[in-house]
Amino acid sequence: ELEVTRVLLESKADVRAVDEGRRDVTSWVRYGDLDRDHQKAVLKLLYSFGAPQPVENKVKNGELKPDFFSPIALDSKAREIMNRAPKAKGSDPFKVSRETKKLLQ
C-alpha cells in the first residue's frame, strides 16, 4: 500500500487537499490507519512531498522554538460567557499564578 501512495504522490497527487469537513490527507491517515507502523511510514512519505506537518513535528525538527505563543480568538458566545463569570474584587484576570509560571518554565 505504501508503494501505491508513493506512485500517487509522484504523479502529483495534492497532499494539501481537504474534504468537505476540512480534514486533510494527514488527518485521514492518523485516524483511519490502525497500523501505527504503516501510519508512521505514510505520514513520513506525505511530509516529504510537502504535506503540512503538525506543530509537534516542527518543534522536534527544530523548525519552531518550543516557547512559541499561539493566542486564541474567542467567538462571541465564548466572550459572553467570559464576561458573565464572577470576578473577585481587586483581582487581575491576566495575572499568572506562581504555580502556573513554574509549569511554564
Side-chain angles (χ1 to χ4, degrees):
E1 291 178 23
L2 189 60
E3 195 54 38
V4 172
T5 304
R6 181 182 311 283
V7 169
L8 288 169
L9 293 169
E10 288 172 350
S11 299
K12 308 291 184 218
D14 185 2
V15 294
R16 294 181 175 274
V18 294
D19 65 12
E20 59 278 350
R22 310 256 333 127
R23 291 175 295 253
D24 65 7
V25 177
T26 60
S27 294
W28 280 104
V29 173
R30 282 192 302 276
Y31 301 109
D33 189 345
L34 299 178
D35 179 349
R36 301 290 278 173
D37 293 330
H38 183 260
Q39 181 187 104
K40 207 172 186 179
V42 171
L43 287 171
K44 188 174 181 179
L45 182 61
L46 289 169
Y47 297 147
S48 73
F49 277 84
Q53 293 191 34
V55 170
E56 295 85 5
N57 284 19
K58 291 182 177 190
V59 170
K60 185 178 176 182
N61 296 336
E63 298 170 39
L64 186 64
K65 290 183 178 184
D67 62 346
F68 71 95
F69 175 71
S70 179
I72 60 169
L74 300 177
D75 63 14
S76 59
K77 180 76 172 165
R79 280 194 302 274
E80 179 185 327
I81 292 169
M82 294 285 291
N83 289 333
R84 280 187 293 162
K87 307 219 180 0
K89 274 190 170 181
S91 69
D92 180 355
F94 300 105
K95 185 175 181 182
V96 178
S97 70
R98 273 187 254 155
E99 293 80 14
T100 302
K101 285 181 184 177
K102 285 180 186 176
L103 289 172
L104 294 173
Q105 291 179 350

